[in-house]
Amino acid sequence: MSNVRVRFAPSPTGPLHIGGVRTALYNYLFAKKNGGKFILRIEDTDQKRYVAEAEEYIIKSLEWFGFSPEEGPGLGGDFGPYRQSERKDIYGQYVTELIEKGHAYYCFDTSEELTNWRLENEAQKIYGVKYNHATRMNMRNSISLSKEESEKLIKEGNNVTVRLKIPTGRTIDFTDVVRGDVSFNSDELDDKIILKGDGMPTYHLANIVDDHLMEITHVIRGEEWLPSTGHHVLMYEMFGWTAPSFSHLPLILKPVGSGKLSKRDGAKFGFPVFPLEWFDKEEDKTYQGFKEDGYLPEAVTNFISLLGWNPGTDEEMFTLEELVAAFDPTRIVKSGAKFDVDKARWFNQQYIIAKPNTELADLLMPMAKEKGYDVSEDFMIKFADLMKERAEVIPDFFTAGGFFFEMPVDIDEKMAKKKYKLENRPHFDALIASMEGMQQFTSSALESVVKSYIADNELSFGAIMPILRIGACGTMKGPDLFETMELLGQDEVLSRMKASIEKFTALKNAQNG
């Protein structure tokens, strides 16, 4: 496939939703698979909902994932500008062309008039009324009004919009890569506004014009745009242009119940739906991102790639390069995919386990410093190795392995009371003395000392090992005890064990009354 050009065209009205990330990913994969270009275009024609920080957020999110556009704002390219607000002067000639061809017309209805019109219809139990071939002659526009009155209103320039004039009695057909053959009856379509009163184009016009001028060959976008594609196909025909190939992606659904996944669902169920942290000024609320929650970008990429697409095999683990090689848009499914946060965490854990310990240490070291832990790089590398199979997200290293940095204040007293026997105190004192005399405080040497003592004194592992673990770590949970002790170091282990045995003895005496 030659000269493939695809675009990701988000609106900067807020943070980039994970569904938008998936759209960007599929466009990126398709472009790379076919040796084409992946373009970022910012569709900021909706100035009322424009959020200044959103564009930077979108760009940073794509950078975090590694979906690098080859053209776009700040990147240059032969088809710019890549912000629609900077292309405003381009659209006027195309609006004029449609009007002159009889495919569009001026409208003078105010927002208040349109609202009252809809309310009047609803009062007569006429719902979902459309501004179209059946109603346009009853409205204030250049078709229903005289030429002189229309020209006067156009000159005054108040509330002047332009609508597409949808022809009647037409069947509009196109083939969607995901949906198959799709048909629209033109009599059921509304005359959509293509130029707003502020002179800015709507999505419907700007999208078509820009895709044509930027030579976009394939449009891969969310299914929410499928109902409008009938209008878009008609507009390509009206201009005499060749329409691109269309692929409309299924929704990402709530984990529980029905409907599209929203930021409210993330807040409700405690998981992110945005790639990066986002502060919502209107709500005065911060929404966590996948990055801040401790997900690796490659894991999230792998996870979302399978929300609506399957490779045709049972394989689940894919690097970005492997996704490029495997991606086939004909394997995108029609039905929505439920967002399963447990699966997302599973993917993240697999990537944590596979990640080199040195790279994990680089991620963990700044977090350790923030917590006030002063440790060496070598310590952090060994810590990462011991804890990586116990971490689903990066913060788990510290929540599950905080005892590597300081003895927990809250120890597992319930288990300590259950397992600690006063009559075993001499054995623990002897073991501590043995550890104190060790020249090489390694995991293998520790294991030999402890297990030999247990055997020589005909003790059970259950009488000794749990107390050693709680004494050193404060908890029964953790990686191999002897490897943990080695990393903690001889002085720290001895200090903890001596203090713990005194505490366990006091707890047991108090328990016995």
Side-chain angles (χ1 to χ4, degrees):
M1 199 178 296
S2 60
N3 300 319
V4 166
R5 290 177 60 82
V6 298
R7 80 314 192 261
F8 176 53
S11 297
T13 55
L16 182 60
H17 185 275
I18 200 65
V21 175
R22 185 192 61 178
T23 299
L25 172 61
Y26 286 1
N27 275 280
Y28 175 87
L29 296 178
F30 186 77
K32 296 301 177 185
K33 176 74 177 282
N34 294 285
K37 299 287 187 182
F38 172 58
I39 299 150
L40 174 64
R41 186 173 73 220
I42 300 297
E43 301 201 337
D44 56 349
T45 59
D46 190 347
Q47 291 295 299
K48 290 181 180 179
R49 297 176 60 220
Y50 174 78
V51 177
E53 302 84 7
E55 180 181 325
E56 183 182 4
Y57 179 93
I58 291 165
I59 292 171
K60 284 185 175 179
S61 296
L62 295 181
E63 288 176 352
W64 185 63
F65 283 108
F67 311 158
S68 304
E70 288 142 295
E71 300 174 26
L75 298 171
D78 297 332
F79 298 85
Y82 293 92
R83 293 184 188 90
Q84 287 186 334
S85 59
E86 298 172 4
R87 299 172 63 84
K88 184 176 177 180
D89 295 340
I90 294 174
Y91 306 113
Q93 61 178 304
Y94 295 101
V95 174
T96 301
E97 180 179 340
L98 289 177
I99 291 171
E100 289 177 348
K101 289 181 175 180
H103 296 314
Y105 58 97
Y106 294 102
C107 296
F108 314 108
D109 317 276
T110 65
S111 297
E112 184 180 2
E113 287 170 342
L114 291 172
T115 298
N116 290 336
W117 171 62
R118 292 189 179 93
L119 291 174
E120 288 169 5
N121 278 278
E122 289 174 9
Q124 300 175 48
K125 301 190 183 304
I126 303 173
Y127 302 101
V129 64
K130 295 177 181 178
Y131 200 126
N132 62 7
H133 69 96
T135 59
R136 65 172 76 113
M137 291 304 294
N138 301 320
M139 312 302 284
R140 296 176 64 239
N141 54 61
S142 58
I143 296 177
S144 63
L145 302 178
S146 66
K147 182 180 179 181
E148 292 74 22
E149 188 172 0
S150 294
E151 288 177 348
K152 176 176 176 293
L153 291 169
I154 292 168
K155 188 175 182 180
E156 290 174 357
N158 296 323
N159 302 306
V160 180
T161 60
V162 176
R163 287 183 182 267
L164 196 65
K165 185 181 179 184
I166 302 296
T168 58
R170 286 281 310 276
T171 298
I172 305 158
D173 298 310
F174 71 95
T175 299
D176 187 281
V177 174
V178 177
R179 313 282 161 169
D181 293 334
V182 180
S183 294
F184 291 94
N185 182 338
S186 67
D187 292 345
E188 296 176 357
L189 303 181
D190 62 329
D191 291 356
K192 287 199 179 296
I193 293 176
I194 58 173
L195 192 71
K196 295 179 283 189
D198 62 2
M200 290 294 286
T202 63
Y203 172 86
H204 306 290
L205 176 73
N207 173 270
I208 298 305
V209 171
D210 288 346
D211 281 350
H212 173 71
L213 296 180
M214 293 182 181
E215 299 181 7
I216 300 302
T217 58
H218 297 75
V219 171
I220 303 171
R221 61 187 179 187
E223 72 171 28
E224 64 269 25
W225 294 113
L226 183 60
S228 301
T229 309
H231 294 83
H232 301 167
V233 171
L234 265 180
M235 290 175 72
Y236 276 106
E237 180 184 305
M238 291 169 176
F239 282 121
W241 299 338
T242 300
S245 166
F246 290 102
S247 299
H248 287 90
L249 309 178
L251 294 175
I252 296 179
L253 305 175
K254 301 171 183 285
V256 178
S258 59
K260 182 180 178 180
L261 179 72
S262 72
K263 65 180 181 181
R264 303 284 187 274
D265 298 309
K268 179 180 178 180
F269 294 106
F271 59 77
V273 297
F274 303 133
L276 311 177
E277 183 179 87
W278 174 259
F279 176 68
D280 192 309
K281 291 181 178 178
E282 290 186 4
E283 298 180 9
D284 191 28
K285 182 176 180 179
T286 298
Y287 289 91
Q288 285 291 99
F290 278 94
K291 180 181 179 181
E292 291 72 25
D293 269 16
Y295 287 82
L296 302 176
E298 55 268 37
V300 183
T301 297
N302 197 155
F303 168 62
I304 63 172
S305 72
L306 299 172
L307 291 178
W309 170 81
N310 73 79
T313 67
D314 293 332
E315 190 175 357
E316 290 186 294
M317 302 298 294
F318 293 90
T319 64
L320 189 58
E321 292 74 21
E322 289 167 343
L323 281 172
V324 168
F327 187 69
D328 179 353
T330 65
R331 300 201 67 86
I332 297 172
V333 299
K334 298 177 185 178
S335 57
K338 279 192 178 291
F339 184 94
D340 182 350
V341 68
D342 291 334
K343 191 69 173 179
R345 292 175 72 90
W346 178 85
F347 269 108
N348 204 57
Q349 185 175 43
Q350 306 314 303
Y351 277 87
I352 285 175
I353 292 170
K355 203 168 189 66
N357 297 326
T358 52
E359 293 182 23
L360 285 173
D362 289 340
L363 290 173
L364 295 169
M365 189 64 87
M367 298 174 68
K369 288 181 178 178
E370 277 187 22
K371 294 177 181 292
Y373 302 147
D374 184 16
V375 295
S376 68
E377 183 180 354
D378 184 58
F379 179 98
M380 192 60 78
I381 290 170
K382 292 175 181 176
F383 167 71
D385 184 48
L386 287 177
M387 288 301 300
K388 64 196 302 184
E389 293 194 11
R390 296 174 177 274
E392 291 185 337
V393 290
I394 296 299
D396 287 349
F397 279 91
F398 296 100
T399 54
F403 57 82
F404 277 97
F405 304 94
E406 56 186 349
M407 182 63 183
V409 175
D410 299 321
I411 66 168
D412 190 346
E413 290 188 3
K414 183 178 179 180
M415 185 59 71
K417 289 176 182 178
K418 180 180 178 181
K419 293 291 184 179
Y420 184 70
K421 308 297 181 186
L422 289 173
E423 59 268 27
N424 285 337
R425 171 68 187 260
H427 294 303
F428 290 111
D429 288 339
L431 277 168
I432 290 171
S434 297
M435 292 181 194
E436 206 162 13
M438 292 176 65
Q439 297 300 310
Q440 298 294 322
F441 202 75
T442 63
S443 60
S444 58
L446 279 163
E447 184 173 6
S448 176
V449 166
V450 172
K451 288 185 176 180
S452 294
Y453 186 89
I454 290 173
D456 292 345
N457 290 274
E458 298 182 350
L459 300 169
S460 70
F461 277 86
I464 302 299
M465 296 300 289
I467 295 304
L468 289 181
R469 180 175 285 280
I470 298 171
C473 308
T475 175
M476 288 293 293
K477 299 176 181 177
D480 180 82
L481 174 60
F482 301 115
E483 291 184 356
T484 297
M485 285 180 161
E486 179 182 340
L487 184 55
L488 286 171
Q490 190 170 20
D491 291 344
E492 182 67 19
V493 169
L494 290 171
S495 174
R496 290 186 183 189
M497 287 304 306
K498 289 175 182 178
S500 296
I501 293 304
E502 293 297 335
K503 185 172 185 176
F504 298 159
T505 301
L507 285 171
K508 201 66 176 183
N509 284 328
Q511 184 182 28
N512 293 339

